[in-house]
Amino acid sequence: EAQVTQNPRYLITVTGKKLTVTCSQNMNHEYMSWYRQDPGLGLRQIYYSMNVEVTDKGDVPEGYKVSRKEKRNFPLILESPSPNQTSLYFCASKVLAGGREQYFGPGTRLTVT
Amino acid sequence: AQTVTQSQPEMSVQEAETVTLSCTYDTSESDYYLFWYKQPPSRQMILVIRQEAYKQQNATENRFSVNFQKAAKSFSLKISDSQLGDAAMYFCAYNHQGGSEKLVFGKGTKLTVNP
């Protein structure tokens, strides 16, 4: 089954404790992206990657890091999480051809206390 | 920068009736794509329908159709014969071509379907 998977689905952590949210897709998509969803704000892009070893900042990159060492994986790293990073996070992937839909993972609910 | 506006935070419809969700966007580009995504209580983002800006014909997918007015920068979603399973948040999204290829989302419309 073609899908984007994320782990963990739920995470409660404390301020300053480094964490990684994993994302993997099995569709051989070149493009991968991370979004965060906050009430009343819709979804906003954090980082994106056009291919292996090619990453760039989205609209809200502060406090996040990413890497793309393999085509299928695109982990999101929070080196020192803060309460304002409490949010619902989505990973997405798509083929690079213009206008193709983005396939979303199931979401990761992160709470930073 | 592109912006997407959904002016209806909440809407309700009776089962089997028709409802239209509004979306407007602002862009200076001529070639772009527009999407409606559905987010049920499970939080999964599900594509409902997609429209290419260069196509004049409105997209349709079963009970879902759009009214795309390029000059007015309007992209409304019509749901016919509404079903209980249609209850969800609906997000309108603009696809930025080139560069980040990001989706620019509206803030969403919560649709309630009454039996």
Side-chain angles (χ1 to χ4, degrees), chain B residues 22-61:
Chain B
S22 300
C23 173
T24 59
Y25 57 95
D26 186 26
T27 183
S28 58
E29 298 178 348
S30 60
D31 189 18
Y32 50 88
Y33 298 82
L34 297 163
F35 301 84
W36 278 97
Y37 278 87
K38 169 185 177 181
Q39 187 179 42
S42 66
R43 302 183 324 214
Q44 179 71 50
M45 294 292 288
I46 302 165
L47 177 70
V48 175
I49 202 164
R50 169 179 176 267
Q51 174 77 44
E52 297 95 331
Y54 62 86
K55 286 188 176 180
Q56 292 186 338
Q57 185 175 6
N58 289 323
T60 62
E61 286 289 341

Side-chain angles (χ1 to χ4, degrees), chain A residues 10 31 35 37 40 42-43 45 48 50 59 88 90 94 98-99 101-102 104-106, chain B residues 33 35 37 39 42-45 47 50 91 95 97 99-103 105-107:
Chain A
Y10 302 88
Y31 182 91
Y35 295 85
Q37 182 180 13
L43 284 79
Q45 189 183 57
Y48 66 97
M50 293 287 195
D59 293 326
L88 178 59
F90 286 98
K94 75 185 227 21
E101 70 170 289
Q102 293 195 25
F104 285 82
Chain B
Y33 298 82
F35 301 84
Y37 278 87
Q39 187 179 42
S42 66
R43 302 183 324 214
Q44 179 71 50
M45 294 292 288
L47 177 70
R50 169 179 176 267
F91 290 96
N95 186 199
Q97 293 296 292
S100 72
E101 287 277 341
K102 71 181 177 184
L103 287 169
F105 286 88
K107 295 182 179 180

